Amino acid sequence: MMLSLLFAASLVSHQTPSPSDVDTEDHLLAALYDVISGPAGKERDWNRMRSLFAKDASMAVAFERQNGEVRDFEFNVEKYIQLSGPELLKKGFYEHEIGRRSERFGHIEQVFSSYESRYDPKDPKPFERGVNALQLFFDGKRWWIRTIIWEGETPKLKLPGSLLRRSEVH
């Protein structure tokens, strides 16, 4: 019983979400893409960002160095805000989902969400495409992001066709 209470307490985010951001997996992912997107000079709604993630949620980026070494860089939501906030404020940044593959079991869901990133939504070509791999949790009332790791497309690593469209398996 004590372990259950400790676990439940660890899920409590320090921000109250908009119910329409966390009532479905679709809304949760839409809110995630929306909250990081915006024009240069527009401060992002970091409290909204915080409200999407479980307390102690993990974020990471996977990448290959020029020497071929593959690494990941792990951080939390607060570190993401600290590192990305100034850049997002300085430059316009828009990211949207272009495909998704999901699998759900009970209260957990694994999502591969492919994305395109642009500095301006009118840019003809994205400056980056890649995949966000997310683990979601439904506590009976709302959805939480527990983990997210992403990797950008490279000349050697292309998005597969299965992630250029939406296909959900439940």
Side-chain angles (χ1 to χ4, degrees), residues 84-97:
S84 298
E87 281 300 305
L88 294 176
L89 190 59
K90 188 168 76 173
K91 300 178 187 175
F93 179 81
Y94 294 84
E95 190 167 276
H96 73 273
E97 185 176 60

Side-chain angles (χ1 to χ4, degrees), residues 1 3 12 18 20 36 55 58 66-67 69-70 95 99-100 116 119 122 131 138 141-142 147 150 152 158 160-161 164:
M1 177 72 146
L3 186 58
V12 177
S18 167
S20 63
I36 61 173
K55 186 175 182 247
S58 172
Q66 287 183 330
N67 67 4
E69 178 186 19
V70 177
E95 190 167 276
R100 184 187 310 172
E116 289 184 338
Y119 296 114
K122 296 177 188 134
V131 173
F138 184 69
K141 296 178 186 143
R142 61 155 292 177
T147 64
W150 65 91
K158 296 293 184 184
L164 295 175

Side-chain angles (χ1 to χ4, degrees), residues 74-148:
E74 185 178 2
F75 42 95
N76 61 24
V77 175
E78 292 306 318
K79 188 59 121 174
Y80 175 86
I81 292 168
Q82 179 186 357
L83 295 173
S84 298
E87 281 300 305
L88 294 176
L89 190 59
K90 188 168 76 173
K91 300 178 187 175
F93 179 81
Y94 294 84
E95 190 167 276
H96 73 273
E97 185 176 60
I98 57 175
R100 184 187 310 172
R101 191 169 61 220
S102 302
E103 192 159 355
R104 181 176 174 183
F105 179 78
H107 295 89
I108 60 174
E109 186 159 346
Q110 175 68 45
V111 179
F112 272 45
S113 173
S114 54
Y115 63 85
E116 289 184 338
S117 302
R118 290 177 167 75
Y119 296 114
D120 185 297
K122 296 177 188 134
D123 289 346
K125 288 186 169 187
F127 68 84
E128 181 179 78
R129 295 185 340 159
V131 173
N132 290 312
L134 302 103
Q135 291 180 323
L136 310 180
F137 173 70
F138 184 69
D139 67 5
K141 296 178 186 143
R142 61 155 292 177
W143 284 95
W144 298 90
I145 299 172
R146 293 292 300 147
T147 64
I148 180 172

